Amino acid sequence: MKTPVPALRRILCIGGGPAGLYFALLMKRRDPALTVTVVERNRPFDTFGWGVVLSDQTLGNLREADPESAALIGEAFNHWDDIEVFFKGGRVRSGGHGFCGIGRKKLLNILQERCLALGVNLVFETDVTDDQALAAQYEADLVIASDGLNSRIRTRYADTFQPDIDTRQCRFVWLGTKKTFDAFTFAFVQTEHGWFQAHAYKFDGETSTFIVETPEEVWKAHGIDQMSQEDGVAFCEKLFAPYLDGHALISNASHLRGSAIWIRFPRVICHTWVRWQDIAGRRTPIVLMGDAAHTAHFSIGSGTKLALEDAIDLADEFSRHANADVAEVLQGYEARRSVEVLKIQNAARNSTEWFENVDRYTGMEVEQFAYSLLTRSQRISHENLRLRDAKWLEGYEAWLQTQAQPGVPVKKHPTPPMLLPLTVRGLTLKNRIVVSPMAQYSAVDGVVGDYHLVHLGARAMGGAALVMVEMTSPTPEGRITPGCPGLWNDEQQAGLKRIVDFVHGHSSAKIGLQLGHSGAKGSTQLGWEQIDEPLPSGNWPLLSASAVPYGEQNQVPRAMTRADMDAMTAAFVASTQRAAEAGFDWLELHAAHGYLLSSFITPLTNQRTDEYGGSLANRCRYPLEVFTAMRAAWPADRPFSVRISAHDWAPGGNTPDDAVEIARLFKAAGCDLIDVSSGQTTRAAKPVYGRMYQTPFADRVRNEAGILTMAVGAITEADHANSIIAAGRADLCAVARPHLADPAWTLHEAAKLQTRAIEWPRPYESGRDQLYREIARQQALNAPAP
């Protein structure tokens, strides 16, 4: 049954791309009484571009929205399941990915014909320079601005839409070829100036899209910016000849000259999508749709998907709220749809950055390189790959296990990536899961007690390879709160040694200590009171790189003198020696989150004019002095890591580029691993949160600085950890809140993984561990635990 749309009689769509055409036909289909007009600047049935890609899921959405056009689109689609990756002479092919390719022209032709069949008024060869005049001409009650990437309407009303346009780093050219690829193909070619990559897929029986992409600097180094269009295409044809089997590359952009066919992708985000405008005496909504409102990089093939699903969503919104005011309908549409689009754009951003930085991953073997490519957006996870192609993934897991455990035979079911061992210096961790250091605010005069024994002991028995004690101060004034632990006297050392001995005696886990000084963030209330707020009374004096308070309500710290630095370094060294005597397996220096050493590293709090301020190297000078002194006091066979804030999330602060340089400096000083966190260096920080949101920083540091990393931040599932480890984004995963809720989180997640293997991945050393092994085995079999 068709649902009428009250108070909406005439719709004008400016732009005849997928968004405008599809919205027009859906609205006309839902209410034939509507007058719907689409105005397009090009000629009828004329378009530029080659093929577009849609997923099986999007095809399902089309079938539900309009079965008639979906059937025609389905008949024209070329479907494939496989992705094939060519890299450094190697080849990886995996299946189950479910893509469909169709010529852009063919897709538009189908939508145009469907519009005509439903009675939509199509107006071609009309270049709209004044949307208001056109809306008045057609007496429109609703204007859809579907005028594409370079939307004039978005530009005209920029004050309302507030577009954020980020032009990305790579140049790419959209070509075609008569070579028909039977898989979505990625080919990577190295030249003397850098890497080029091709994205190729078949979209009809005899033609494939062939996109060539490379960083701007590589493009210019080859002189392509000075080439004619023909010479540029010939360059690509020669470069990718091994994958073209003698076929030519073709351009259909004859309207462009020279290197103008090579463009940089503009990522478009708009603050709002709806503007209300007085037109011919009526208050008329102008709504952005498709590329006019947002873009998603072609590497995840979602531009057309987003356009079509925008149209579906808004048409459905009108149907669901037939009696609602148009303003309410549009408000609901924008609120819901903008969130869905942002999810895709976040994934697209990750994918874009992966292709912009291919060189970052070229040290990998083709097996891991392909896995990293497949999971680059963080939308596709380890277990999602298993659903797509279990045989291929199990083969990759087996390969990964041989890299982690050379000479150890791979059993029928390979060890999941998060359960692979890792050896750092003289220490071997049984798996890749770390209980992140989490402040408990339960120490008395810096001394840990029974609470900490239970807290840390339970988590050590819960399956994690490494349990980290919360940030512990080398001085009384270095504590964050009165409830934070310290390590400056014998009683504190004895309390910590008690826990270390328990962990070593009752589990196969290792235990580490994080040493740090609170700096300007010290002398604050307990975490369950008013976090980061000064104590009501009894505040102690603070030190920092400069006299910059953490916030207006926090006390102003004293800028450290040379004598202060010497004394503080000595205190850190003394605590390091005590940690070694207590038997800790791992030591970490906290140089993140705005604490003392972090205050030197970030320019937001370091305002010094001496040799410890200014350049990044100078700002890192004192933290490196402390680290070097501690490393010399720490046993050579035990690992030593450093936690850094990889991004200050605030204007003028450190960025991930800086994080790579910071990591290189600590690596040169003898650091074994960088614990990659971010933010908390200023109250002005505005982090972009999300699932595994800090993992890309760990990825960059690991693969650019060439040092082991620990990923942390919103890692909540074994699937997350498996994906991170398998892709080479980090070597360890620090898991915090899930371990608070479930001390045996690692064990329980491992039990789920053992549904495939049953066998626990390593022998255990105590009867308690054997009991947990049996529990895990029974859980895997869905049988009652003993």
Side-chain angles (χ1 to χ4, degrees):
M1 178 179 177
K2 302 296 188 299
T3 305
V5 183
L8 187 61
R9 298 289 76 190
R10 298 177 182 84
I11 299 173
L12 172 64
C13 298
I14 301 177
L21 288 170
Y22 203 55
F23 181 71
L25 74 85
L26 290 179
M27 292 301 289
K28 189 69 174 177
R29 180 177 183 269
R30 282 163 170 72
D31 184 0
L34 284 171
T35 299
V36 184
T37 302
V38 178
V39 178
E40 165 60 34
R41 67 179 178 179
N42 293 316
R43 295 173 298 175
F45 309 110
D46 190 14
T47 186
F48 300 100
W50 295 94
V52 296
V53 176
L54 299 177
S55 67
D56 287 346
Q57 179 185 11
T58 301
L59 282 181
N61 294 337
L62 296 183
R63 282 190 290 270
E64 185 174 345
D66 180 39
E68 291 84 353
S69 60
L72 294 172
I73 292 170
E75 290 172 5
F77 261 124
N78 281 268
H79 186 279
W80 68 91
D81 281 325
D82 290 359
I83 290 178
E84 193 164 40
V85 180
F86 294 93
F87 174 67
K88 294 197 304 191
R91 169 181 170 273
V92 169
R93 186 174 180 124
S94 68
H97 300 285
F99 291 106
C100 295
I102 185 173
R104 177 177 169 81
K105 181 175 180 179
K106 180 65 175 178
L107 174 63
L108 292 182
N109 290 171
I110 290 171
L111 297 181
Q112 289 163 354
E113 291 170 359
R114 179 66 175 145
C115 280
L116 291 174
L118 289 168
V120 174
N121 181 29
L122 299 183
V123 179
F124 292 98
E125 298 184 76
T126 301
D127 192 13
V128 180
T129 57
D130 187 341
D131 57 281
Q132 293 185 29
L134 194 69
Q137 177 185 337
Y138 285 98
E139 299 180 339
D141 303 310
L142 170 65
V143 176
I144 299 296
S146 50
D147 55 339
L149 175 62
N150 299 309
S151 171
R152 289 175 177 171
I153 298 174
R154 182 186 66 221
T155 301
R156 181 177 187 180
Y157 306 120
D159 59 329
T160 296
F161 298 129
Q162 299 178 45
D164 176 2
I165 302 176
D166 177 21
T167 303
R168 301 304 306 180
Q169 299 172 14
C170 283
R171 289 278 178 173
F172 71 95
V173 60
W174 201 288
L175 303 172
T177 179
K178 292 300 180 181
K179 161 67 186 290
T180 53
F181 294 88
D182 63 350
F184 198 120
T185 301
F186 295 99
F188 297 83
V189 176
Q190 186 177 22
T191 71
E192 66 271 28
H193 298 300
W195 288 84
F196 285 76
Q197 55 257 10
H199 312 236
Y201 55 89
K202 182 173 68 173
F203 64 83
D204 64 26
E206 58 181 24
T207 320
S208 296
T209 294
F210 200 93
I211 303 171
V212 178
E213 182 185 24
T214 191
E216 170 96 351
E217 61 272 17
V218 178
W219 181 72
K220 285 186 174 180
H222 280 283
I224 303 174
D225 58 325
Q226 303 299 318
M227 292 183 186
S228 68
Q229 181 178 140
E230 294 75 16
D231 288 345
V233 172
F235 174 88
C236 296
E237 192 176 296
K238 181 179 179 181
L239 194 64
F240 290 98
Y243 311 102
L244 290 169
D245 297 336
H247 291 86
L249 289 177
I250 312 162
S251 169
N252 66 357
S254 58
H255 60 297
L256 298 175
R257 294 289 177 264
S259 61
I261 60 171
W262 292 81
I263 62 174
R264 292 167 61 193
F265 185 83
R267 191 271 291 128
V268 176
I269 296 175
C270 289
H271 178 72
T272 184
W273 298 357
V274 180
R275 175 186 174 93
W276 290 86
Q277 183 69 38
D278 288 331
I279 300 176
R282 290 182 298 174
R283 189 166 176 261
T284 306
I286 301 172
V287 182
L288 297 180
M289 186 174 287
D291 282 352
H294 47 68
T295 60
H297 193 256
F298 58 83
S299 62
I300 65 168
S302 291
T304 303
K305 163 194 167 69
L306 288 176
L308 295 171
E309 292 181 350
D310 281 355
I312 293 171
D313 198 296
L314 183 52
D316 284 349
E317 187 76 7
F318 275 115
S319 294
R320 281 192 298 268
H321 303 286
N323 298 316
D325 180 77
V326 171
E328 293 179 22
V329 171
L330 295 178
Q331 184 179 18
Y333 161 73
E334 181 181 346
R336 184 185 59 260
R337 185 67 187 147
S338 61
V339 172
E340 292 304 311
V341 167
L342 188 58
K343 291 177 183 177
I344 298 293
Q345 288 189 308
N346 285 341
R349 180 198 63 225
N350 292 336
S351 179
T352 304
E353 292 180 355
W354 193 95
F355 282 105
E356 288 175 341
N357 296 282
V358 164
D359 190 58
R360 181 186 301 162
Y361 306 103
T362 54
M364 295 178 174
E365 299 299 322
V366 65
E367 292 86 354
Q368 189 167 49
F369 182 87
Y371 183 100
S372 177
L373 185 155
L374 291 174
T375 59
R376 66 192 180 279
S377 71
Q378 293 190 177
R379 281 195 308 168
I380 297 175
S381 70
H382 196 74
E383 291 308 311
N384 188 264
L385 286 175
R386 193 181 309 283
L387 290 174
R388 296 173 182 224
D389 192 341
K391 183 177 180 181
W392 170 79
L393 184 64
E394 193 162 279
Y396 177 66
E397 288 179 326
W399 177 86
L400 202 63
Q401 185 174 337
T402 63
Q403 305 304 300
Q405 298 175 289
V408 176
V410 178
K411 298 181 180 180
K412 180 180 178 182
H413 296 285
T415 302
M418 67 171 257
L419 298 180
L420 290 171
L422 177 69
T423 298
V424 186
R425 292 195 183 238
L427 183 73
T428 296
L429 301 176
K430 64 182 179 181
N431 60 53
R432 304 302 183 94
I433 301 300
V434 177
V435 176
S436 195
M438 295 174 281
Q440 299 299 299
Y441 311 106
S442 300
V444 178
D445 294 327
V447 179
V448 296
D450 290 346
Y451 173 86
H452 300 86
L453 177 67
V454 173
H455 168 69
L456 295 166
R459 283 149 188 85
M461 293 165 58
L466 176 64
V467 177
M468 294 295 298
V469 177
E470 64 196 89
M471 189 177 92
T472 300
S473 174
T475 69
E477 298 78 19
R479 292 172 296 163
I480 307 167
T481 76
C484 291
L487 186 51
W488 62 80
N489 64 37
D490 292 345
E491 185 181 6
Q492 294 161 349
Q493 180 177 330
L496 289 167
K497 186 177 188 305
R498 177 180 175 227
I499 295 172
V500 171
D501 290 346
F502 179 89
V503 170
H504 288 161
H506 296 275
S507 79
S508 54
K510 306 301 181 183
I511 184 166
L513 180 68
Q514 185 186 74
L515 283 175
H517 187 289
S518 60
K521 295 178 73 175
S523 190
T524 57
Q525 300 176 44
L526 302 181
W528 51 78
E529 297 172 340
Q530 296 187 66
I531 193 167
D532 290 335
E533 299 300 309
L535 295 169
S537 61
N539 284 281
W540 56 81
L542 304 179
L543 289 174
S544 190
S546 301
V548 177
Y550 183 60
E552 291 183 2
Q553 62 272 55
N554 297 94
Q555 63 174 296
V556 178
R558 179 168 60 84
M560 293 184 77
T561 64
R562 180 67 257 180
D564 291 330
M565 293 182 196
D566 292 340
M568 189 62 66
T569 301
F572 268 108
V573 168
S575 292
T576 298
Q577 293 167 337
R578 288 183 179 277
E581 292 169 6
F584 281 100
D585 304 297
W586 189 293
L587 186 64
E588 179 165 286
L589 178 62
H590 202 320
H593 298 173
Y595 298 132
L596 181 66
L597 299 183
S598 173
S599 74
F600 277 86
I601 297 174
T602 175
L604 298 175
T605 51
N606 187 334
Q607 299 178 357
R608 302 178 73 97
T609 57
D610 60 7
E611 66 269 32
Y612 295 98
S615 69
L616 180 62
N618 280 358
R619 300 198 308 271
C620 288
R621 188 186 301 272
Y622 179 61
L624 285 166
E625 287 180 5
V626 173
F627 172 83
T628 302
M630 292 172 67
R631 177 71 265 186
W634 182 246
D637 62 338
R638 300 187 207 177
F640 196 155
S641 60
V642 175
R643 171 169 279 198
I644 67 170
S645 284
H647 198 323
D648 285 336
W649 298 107
N654 283 330
T655 68
D657 289 340
D658 298 310
V660 173
E661 294 306 313
I662 294 166
R664 286 179 175 142
L665 291 170
F666 278 106
K667 177 186 177 183
C671 180
D672 299 303
L673 177 145
I674 299 294
D675 180 357
V676 187
S677 186
S678 71
Q680 302 179 57
T681 57
T682 171
R683 288 184 184 267
K686 294 182 178 180
V688 180
Y689 294 109
R691 182 169 51 96
M692 300 181 285
Y693 73 104
Q694 294 179 144
T695 297
F697 306 144
D699 183 345
R700 280 203 64 181
V701 169
R702 181 185 190 271
N703 291 298
E704 291 186 30
I707 187 171
L708 299 177
T709 61
M710 186 180 333
V712 61
I715 300 169
T716 60
E717 302 173 10
D719 198 20
H720 296 167
N722 280 326
S723 300
I724 291 167
I725 301 303
R729 296 188 175 96
D731 302 276
L732 294 172
C733 291
V735 179
R737 288 177 177 83
H739 275 130
L740 282 180
D742 178 6
W745 179 88
T746 304
L747 191 62
H748 291 146
E749 291 297 303
K752 297 173 187 176
L753 295 174
Q754 296 306 315
T755 301
R756 300 191 311 275
I758 306 304
E759 299 170 297
W760 201 251
R762 65 179 302 282
Y764 279 78
E765 301 156 1
S766 71
R768 182 175 290 102
D769 285 328
Q770 291 171 10
L771 173 61
Y772 279 126
R773 176 183 178 184
E774 181 62 13
I775 291 173
R777 189 181 75 83
Q778 295 292 348
Q779 287 177 334
L781 292 171
N782 294 316

